DNA sequence: CTAATGACCATTA
DNA sequence: ATAATGGCCATTA
């Protein structure tokens, strides 16, 4: 079944380790540049463990939410080499 | 079909 | 810096 949700899943699945995408970017890649809200909803209801939904963060650099808790999400992102401070992600580049 | 929901975004105060 | 407001879209009840 083809749907926006499936596209989102595919995109999130393809996010490499140590990299993160914003909800907006995922929406753009999915073909609905303004459907960031729907993206959040889909990931929120997502139960598929194959999808690293913890690699999707907000545009402001904040982490956003997570099924298992935002705290856990931050932990996972740190494990992947990301720099997070005060609930915000700082890019490695200067 | 309509209405409500939400892991959001941008603007304004 | 934070808080409130409006907009935006797929999904669900």
């Amino acid at each position: 079944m083809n749907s926006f949700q499936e596209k989102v899943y595919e995109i999130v699945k393809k996010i490499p380790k140590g990299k993160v995408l914003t909800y907006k970017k995922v929406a753009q890649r999915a073909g609905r540049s303004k459907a960031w809200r729907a993206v959040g909803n889909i990931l929120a209801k997502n139960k598929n463990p194959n999808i690293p939904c913890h690699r999707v963060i907000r545009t402001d650099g904040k982490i956003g939410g997570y099924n298992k808790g935002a705290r856990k999400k931050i932990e996972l992102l740190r494990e992947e080499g990301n720099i997070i401070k005060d609930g915000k992600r700082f890019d490695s580049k200067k």
Side-chain angles (χ1 to χ4, degrees), chain A residues 29-69:
Chain A
R29 273 182 78 154
R32 301 284 184 277
S33 47
K34 291 172 197 159
W36 51 69
R37 275 251 204 155
V39 172
N41 270 342
I42 289 163
L43 294 179
K45 289 176 183 166
N46 166 42
K47 297 252 189 68
N48 194 326
N50 294 34
I51 298 171
C53 35
H54 61 271
R55 292 188 187 152
V56 184
I57 63 173
R58 304 197 352 175
T59 303
D60 301 358
K62 282 204 168 157
I63 302 307
Y66 193 51
N67 266 342
K68 291 169 115 204

Side-chain angles (χ1 to χ4, degrees), chain A residues 5-91:
Chain A
Q5 163 173 268
E6 192 171 282
K7 289 182 195 164
V8 171
Y9 285 149
E10 285 295 305
I11 291 164
V12 174
K13 253 189 242 171
K14 285 176 183 170
I15 300 176
K17 181 185 173 205
K19 179 104 182 184
V20 296
L21 284 181
T22 64
Y23 294 97
K24 198 191 217 164
K25 280 187 180 176
V26 172
Q28 283 179 345
R29 273 182 78 154
R32 301 284 184 277
S33 47
K34 291 172 197 159
W36 51 69
R37 275 251 204 155
V39 172
N41 270 342
I42 289 163
L43 294 179
K45 289 176 183 166
N46 166 42
K47 297 252 189 68
N48 194 326
N50 294 34
I51 298 171
C53 35
H54 61 271
R55 292 188 187 152
V56 184
I57 63 173
R58 304 197 352 175
T59 303
D60 301 358
K62 282 204 168 157
I63 302 307
Y66 193 51
N67 266 342
K68 291 169 115 204
R71 225 208 71 127
K72 182 74 179 172
K73 187 168 175 181
I74 292 171
E75 215 170 305
L76 286 168
L77 288 172
R78 279 186 177 162
E79 285 286 321
E80 304 214 335
N82 290 301
I83 302 168
I84 298 171
K85 182 167 192 168
D86 264 347
K88 292 187 186 140
R89 174 180 179 272
F90 288 77
D91 211 319

